[in-house]
Amino acid sequence: MSLKSQETIGANQKKITIEVDHATFEAAINKVFKKTSKNISIPGFRKGKAPRAIVEKMYGKEVFYEDAINEIIPDAYADAVKEVEETIVSRPEFDIESIDENGVVLVATFFTKPEVEIKDYIGVAVEKTVSHATDAEVEEELKRVQNRNSRMIEITDRAAQNDDLVTIDFDGYVDGVAFDGGKAEGHQLKLGSGQFIPGFEDQIVGKNIGDEFDVVVTFPADYHAENLAGKEATFKCKLHAIKFNELPVLDDDFAKDVSEFDTLDEYKADIKAKIEESHAKQADAQVDDALIKILCEKLEGEIPECMYENETENFVRDYDNRLRMNGLDLQTYFQYTGLTLDALREQMRPDAEKQVKTRLALEKIAALESIVASEEEIEAEYQRLAEYYGMEADKVKEAVAADAVGEDLKVKKAIDLVREKAVITEVEAKADAE
């Protein structure tokens, strides 16, 4: 098997001609015959016992050609493309040019990575929105920590209030007739949460444990059950229990319990510093997004459609894998959301296009700037990946080729260069955006 010729037949499209010698093709035919002969019935022979020559005489010598060609294509193609310098970015399409006493001549066509151009990527001007941690953000984080450390306590010495968690029985009637879904026992409801029909929770406020009472409400006009929409309903209720989520006092003892600090002021200062750090990371990420958007706009070249399609499929597979990690899959997700596979692809297509263009732009910049990844940097990246995935470095090396790691590092160093050389103007975030 050998590469006979290669030629460019269009923008980023190539055709190669592969020769498969007679002996190789003959061996493939024999292999196919041995696998399929057991299912062949020929008059005068037991099933599966007819010689190949008899089978070919009866059905034609081409009877095994298709399967034999499918048998030889993977190795023939793999050997041939070793001599192709360009990076192949699509699956090949095969045609048979000839089959004769000399063997088989195959033609494979495929798309290759495009030659792109990019200019003026040094000194790109972008804005960086700077925002500072506010007292409201600090208080919001304190409230979250306070809620995480709260405890639920039983209330027995007062009536129900908003924010209480009550346990009730209820039985609903419209025009004196019970309706589906209007009855429950031991139901827990947080008063003031707005979970029930407007006015329902308000009428529980002020009631005591053991009270039996009626709650009269009107279903909203747009209620999902048409037979109840706009109707007045009476719910016969009984209050069984009242609980309250008691929050810890925000003081120095609280700070000692939830952090490494001795005082609440120190803890607040740490929270503020971490919020500032988070804002800074968000600002840096926005700068990178802005730079990438500009680089994509500056990229020139004809990009094969298959690259966008392939990246879109990668996005879909990654999404499916994330769903599976959470006990779902795409089919279940589609049932819940009403989406289809094509609709999901359409949603992911813009990000896939951005990813393809970004990679091409940064690879070109790396080439123009002669950016390389040293052996030390590649080794360090292997160690980082090993720590991230909780694997041994040797296992990572088996899974990911050094060339691939090196290419990824060059891309990272390219965006670092663009960021380092960019003209970044800091602007204060608007007050109403905080």
Side-chain angles (χ1 to χ4, degrees):
M1 295 182 285
S2 63
L3 178 64
K4 180 181 179 182
S5 64
Q6 54 181 306
E7 62 178 302
T8 300
I9 58 174
N12 308 306
Q13 193 173 17
K14 197 153 192 174
K15 178 177 79 171
I16 62 173
T17 303
I18 308 167
E19 290 183 323
V20 180
D21 60 83
H22 176 75
T24 301
F25 186 48
E26 183 67 18
I29 292 175
N30 277 327
K31 185 175 180 179
V32 170
F33 171 71
K34 289 178 181 178
K35 285 196 297 186
T36 60
S37 61
K38 60 183 178 182
N39 299 317
I40 299 174
S41 296
I42 299 291
F45 295 90
R46 283 184 297 155
K47 185 176 181 180
K49 297 300 183 180
R52 174 184 155 187
I54 298 297
V55 176
E56 290 178 335
K57 183 176 181 181
M58 185 166 197
Y59 293 104
K61 66 178 183 178
E62 300 87 0
V63 65
F64 300 116
Y65 279 9
E66 182 177 351
D67 288 341
I69 288 171
N70 289 335
E71 186 75 31
I72 63 176
I73 275 177
D75 288 342
Y77 178 71
D79 286 344
V81 295
K82 291 176 182 177
E83 299 182 43
V84 176
E85 294 182 357
E86 297 91 340
T87 301
I88 299 170
V89 296
S90 72
R91 291 186 177 184
E93 293 185 1
F94 291 97
D95 285 314
I96 301 171
E97 184 173 286
S98 66
I99 301 177
D100 54 31
E101 65 277 3
N102 296 317
V104 181
V105 177
L106 301 171
V107 174
T109 57
F110 46 78
F111 285 92
T112 59
K113 183 181 289 188
E115 282 294 328
V116 296
E117 295 296 333
I118 188 166
K119 301 175 182 177
D120 303 326
Y121 53 85
I122 298 295
V124 173
V126 293
E127 288 188 347
K128 179 178 181 178
T129 303
V130 178
S131 59
H132 302 286
T134 64
D135 290 341
E137 288 176 311
V138 174
E139 292 302 320
E140 185 178 349
E141 176 59 21
L142 273 175
K143 187 176 292 185
R144 279 196 289 268
V145 178
Q146 193 181 27
N147 282 324
R148 285 201 302 268
N149 289 271
S150 63
R151 64 189 183 101
M152 194 68 69
I153 61 173
E154 295 276 354
I155 301 295
T156 58
D157 58 353
R158 65 166 174 79
Q161 301 175 356
N162 271 331
D163 292 328
D164 285 344
L165 183 70
V166 297
T167 302
I168 58 172
D169 297 340
F170 59 84
D171 193 4
Y173 297 84
V174 171
D175 298 329
V177 180
F179 56 88
D180 291 340
K183 182 176 182 178
E185 295 181 354
H187 184 84
Q188 290 193 330
L189 172 65
K190 184 175 182 179
L191 300 182
S193 64
Q195 294 179 31
F196 274 29
I197 305 164
F200 190 104
E201 296 166 25
D202 295 339
Q203 295 178 56
I204 300 176
V205 172
K207 300 297 189 295
N208 290 286
I209 294 173
D211 285 356
E212 297 185 23
F213 52 93
D214 288 349
V215 169
V216 181
V217 293
T218 300
F219 282 98
D222 59 352
Y223 193 67
H224 63 85
E226 294 182 3
N227 62 314
L228 299 176
K231 298 286 186 66
E232 182 179 271
T234 299
F235 288 86
K236 296 186 178 300
C237 303
K238 182 173 182 178
L239 178 58
H240 290 289
I242 303 172
K243 293 180 180 180
F244 181 72
N245 195 29
E246 186 178 62
L247 299 176
V249 177
L250 294 177
D251 56 16
D252 291 346
D253 287 336
F254 172 78
K256 291 176 183 177
D257 289 340
V258 300
S259 74
E260 60 191 64
F261 300 99
D262 293 328
T263 68
L264 184 62
D265 287 341
E266 289 176 317
Y267 182 42
K268 283 184 176 181
D270 182 67
I271 290 174
K272 187 171 185 178
K274 288 177 179 176
I275 293 174
E276 291 274 5
E277 183 181 357
S278 176
H279 286 335
K281 288 181 179 179
Q282 290 176 8
D284 289 340
Q286 289 170 358
V287 167
D288 281 355
D289 284 343
L291 290 172
I292 286 171
K293 181 180 179 182
I294 293 171
L295 294 180
C296 289
E297 291 170 351
K298 290 180 177 291
L299 185 70
E300 297 178 2
E302 193 168 339
I303 302 173
E305 173 67 17
C306 63
M307 293 187 72
Y308 297 138
E309 293 174 350
N310 292 343
E311 192 62 24
T312 300
E313 292 306 309
N314 289 338
F315 276 35
V316 170
R317 280 193 294 272
D318 287 345
Y319 193 67
D320 186 29
N321 288 335
R322 291 198 299 273
L323 288 173
R324 290 178 186 278
M325 290 175 65
N326 290 294
L328 295 174
D329 56 31
L330 279 180
Q331 291 307 314
T332 307
Y333 174 75
F334 292 152
Q335 290 174 6
Y336 287 159
T337 63
L339 277 177
T340 63
L341 181 57
D342 285 341
L344 183 63
R345 286 177 176 139
E346 186 176 350
Q347 285 183 4
M348 294 182 167
R349 172 67 183 237
D351 286 339
E353 289 188 11
K354 177 183 175 183
Q355 182 72 13
V356 169
K357 290 179 180 178
T358 300
R359 182 81 184 195
L360 289 172
L362 293 176
E363 285 177 344
K364 186 63 178 180
I365 292 171
L368 291 171
E369 297 292 333
S370 301
I371 294 173
V372 297
S374 67
E375 291 184 6
E376 291 78 9
E377 289 171 328
I378 292 173
E379 184 62 31
E381 181 65 5
Y382 272 130
Q383 294 298 327
R384 187 191 71 80
L385 291 171
E387 292 176 9
Y388 182 82
Y389 290 106
M391 298 170 60
E392 295 179 3
D394 288 343
K395 296 294 183 183
V396 178
K397 291 177 181 180
E398 291 176 7
V400 186
D403 287 346
V405 173
E407 289 300 315
D408 287 345
L409 284 174
K410 287 195 288 186
V411 165
K412 290 177 183 177
K413 293 172 78 170
I415 188 62
D416 288 344
L417 172 68
V418 173
R419 187 191 309 110
E420 180 186 338
K421 300 295 184 181
V423 179
I424 301 174
T425 303
E426 293 189 353
V427 294
E428 290 289 332
K430 295 180 181 179
D432 59 1
E434 295 183 349

